[in-house]
Amino acid sequence: MEIYRAYGVAGAVERAGAPFDAESGVARCESLAGEWQWLFDAEEPRAWPDVTAGAFCMADQNTVEPILIDAAREAGAEHLFNTELLDLATDGDGVTATIEDRATGRRQVVRATYLVAADGNRSPIRQRLGIARTGEMTFQHTMNIVFRADLSGFLPRRALFWIIANPDGFFGGLVSTADPNRWQVSVAYDPATESTADFTKERCVRLVRAAVGKDIDVEIEGVGAWEQGVGVAERYRDGRVFLVGDSAHVWPPAGALGANTGVQDAHNLAWKLAAVLNGQAGDDLLDTYDAERRPLAETLAPMIVAHQQARISGAAEPEGMDGRTQAFGAAYGPGPVFDAEYGPQARVGSRAPHLWLGDIALHDLCVGDFVLLCDSPEWMDAARMAPVRAYRAEHADGWTRLYGPGAVLIRPDGYVAWRSTGPASAQNLANAIDHALRPTTKQLDERV
């Protein structure tokens, strides 16, 4: 949501999430009609004003994606739906792709400088490139049952997610949708002995009633299979091709870090692609995408699996699972990939601490350009010839504690690139920007 704020779509996403505003916490029970145990606080705060101007929002993919598509169109993007990538070839100058409109059969060849593969957890592009996934495993096969029913009489409080296990043999989970009477229940199944066809309407009705604990009226809308698994691509870059989101890493839903980390991947890569395509940086800058984002995924994957397994079993949450640190504490460069002390002071390689500059949040400014925060007119003068957006920040609440004195250079993705407590120097600032845009082999080695 912090990233969405910067690109002007947070308000629309919040409105899309309005049907879920009353939901919080994760509950475990034998049935909805029985007693509930809260696995984490049902009153979890939705805003951390000391950390970010963004606020937690529960919105489903069906409503968020059209918002992002409209925003991308306004920025000049073209979307070709129902279109399949048939072939791709890379060379020293770019990528040639053959695509087909699946409705008309029309084929065309597209030439591009780079290709970003955001083609899901199965990622045909990743497979075509022969990129394996480390730690890959499937630990549960799940059948999703979408149904309509009035559950209001069984919900004294709405959770984000219900884990249900009862003596009748039902084990699975329940989630809501934006429609108050439309739900999804998920149950484990064995693909070696069962398929979607085995989940008849009659069986699905029995499963829903077992989850609710009452013989209620149920209308089944559909069923679909999916896998709960984990795996991280062994590399995020292959020449001219980059993997982002589920194509790069997949893990269970615990912690809501699937789509969130996917957006952060794209945010990290996008400004670097722009800098290279605009001639500000060389191609080596793009190597930092893998160097920064892959170690993070490799650290998160086992943590999320442990978190999910604890939820399923009802065991205590494992140590090290702290939502705020995972959301805001990712650190790039040598050292741990998570900075547990991400808030007290601006650190090179870590996310810039939240700061209000008048009525503008610092991270709202992190779009496209480097940002220089400083506390003197001399630094403002030094920034006049540099490709940065400079702001005097010495009167901002928290400047001295979080940033000052001196100057701090922040990357377009909101991460600290450089800081100086010395005298203002246009040359030092220019060198810092050049250093951020043109990483050395040593820098890349330190990151991985």
Side-chain angles (χ1 to χ4, degrees):
M1 291 301 290
E2 182 174 273
I3 295 170
Y4 288 165
R5 271 183 62 99
Y7 287 87
V9 297
V13 173
E14 287 171 353
R15 290 190 291 275
F20 305 97
D21 281 350
E23 300 182 356
S24 61
V26 172
R28 184 181 175 91
C29 55
E30 290 190 358
S31 70
L32 291 184
E35 296 291 326
W36 297 3
Q37 171 195 359
W38 289 96
L39 298 186
F40 68 79
D41 188 0
E43 301 300 328
E44 188 79 10
R46 295 191 168 222
W48 297 322
D50 58 323
V51 178
T52 180
F56 173 85
C57 179
M58 180 74 173
D60 60 25
Q61 187 174 346
N62 291 338
T63 53
V64 172
E65 282 191 352
I67 294 168
L68 302 182
I69 288 166
D70 288 344
R73 281 189 178 133
E74 290 178 8
E78 179 184 4
H79 292 77
L80 302 178
F81 291 105
N82 203 37
T83 300
E84 182 178 359
L85 175 70
L86 298 179
D87 191 24
L88 69 92
T90 63
D91 54 51
D93 297 320
V95 182
T96 301
T98 302
I99 60 176
E100 179 180 82
D101 185 315
R102 298 178 69 180
T104 66
R106 177 175 176 266
R107 295 186 179 184
Q108 58 181 309
V109 176
V110 177
R111 180 69 179 172
T113 309
Y114 296 101
L115 183 151
V116 179
D119 55 338
N121 70 303
R122 293 183 177 88
S123 186
I125 294 174
R126 186 192 66 245
Q127 295 182 37
R128 183 189 297 267
L129 295 172
I131 301 176
R133 290 195 292 202
T134 60
E136 184 171 14
M137 62 174 286
T138 299
F139 53 87
Q140 183 171 306
H141 293 272
T142 303
M143 193 67 68
N144 291 341
I145 302 169
V146 179
F147 67 95
R148 300 189 68 84
D150 180 4
L151 302 184
S152 58
F154 311 103
L155 302 178
R157 177 185 289 168
R158 292 176 69 98
L160 297 174
F161 184 70
W162 289 265
I163 296 173
I164 304 172
N166 60 46
D168 295 332
F170 180 92
F171 181 82
L174 176 78
V175 294
S176 65
T177 73
D179 183 328
N181 290 319
R182 189 170 186 259
W183 304 83
Q184 177 181 286
V185 69
S186 302
V187 296
Y189 80 103
D190 182 357
T193 59
E194 295 180 294
S195 69
T196 304
D198 293 304
F199 284 79
T200 63
K201 286 192 175 182
E202 293 76 15
R203 181 183 180 184
C204 290
V205 168
R206 290 197 300 271
L207 287 168
V208 170
R209 288 173 175 170
V212 176
K214 296 288 183 179
D215 288 339
I216 61 169
D217 292 334
V218 179
E219 177 187 348
I220 304 299
E221 287 197 350
V223 296
W226 69 289
E227 298 175 0
Q228 287 195 35
V230 63
V232 177
E234 62 184 6
R235 61 186 183 278
Y236 282 13
R237 180 179 189 182
D238 190 290
R240 295 275 171 172
V241 181
F242 301 88
L243 308 181
V244 301
D246 285 355
S247 70
H249 49 74
V250 62
W251 38 56
L257 290 168
N260 281 288
T261 51
V263 170
Q264 292 163 5
D265 289 342
H267 196 219
N268 181 288
L269 178 60
W271 77 266
K272 297 171 181 176
L273 280 171
V276 172
L277 295 172
N278 292 335
Q280 296 174 292
D283 181 84
D284 287 351
L285 176 63
L286 300 175
D287 289 334
T288 65
Y289 168 63
D290 175 276
E292 292 179 347
R293 296 300 299 174
R294 184 165 52 85
L296 177 71
E298 291 173 341
T299 301
L300 277 174
M303 296 170 68
I304 296 171
V305 169
H307 190 34
Q308 180 75 1
Q309 290 174 334
R311 280 189 177 183
I312 291 173
S313 67
E317 294 286 326
E319 294 184 6
M321 290 296 294
D322 173 58
R324 284 176 42 143
T325 299
Q326 290 175 331
F328 303 110
Y332 304 144
V337 298
F338 282 107
D339 179 2
E341 298 181 358
Y342 55 86
Q345 186 68 222
R347 301 183 183 186
V348 173
S350 294
R351 169 186 165 274
H354 168 55
L355 188 72
W356 284 103
L357 301 169
D359 59 355
I360 300 175
L362 166 62
H363 287 271
D364 291 349
L365 303 173
C366 296
V367 179
D369 299 314
F370 282 83
V371 172
L372 183 76
L373 298 183
C374 60
D375 58 9
S376 73
E378 290 79 15
W379 271 116
M380 293 295 290
D381 289 339
R384 294 190 190 284
M385 299 303 293
V388 298
R389 300 165 69 182
Y391 296 85
R392 290 275 299 275
E394 69 267 35
H395 300 302
D397 183 26
W399 163 257
T400 301
R401 174 174 54 87
L402 297 171
Y403 288 93
V408 177
L409 182 68
I410 301 168
R411 303 187 332 183
D413 61 351
Y415 276 72
V416 177
W418 169 81
R419 58 179 304 164
S420 172
T421 57
S425 167
Q427 185 60 56
N428 287 347
L429 176 57
N431 291 342
I433 296 171
D434 187 69
H435 186 72
L437 291 172
R438 303 179 189 281
T440 64
T441 302
K442 180 176 182 295
Q443 285 175 268
L444 292 172
D445 289 342
E446 286 176 343
R447 287 190 172 101
V448 296

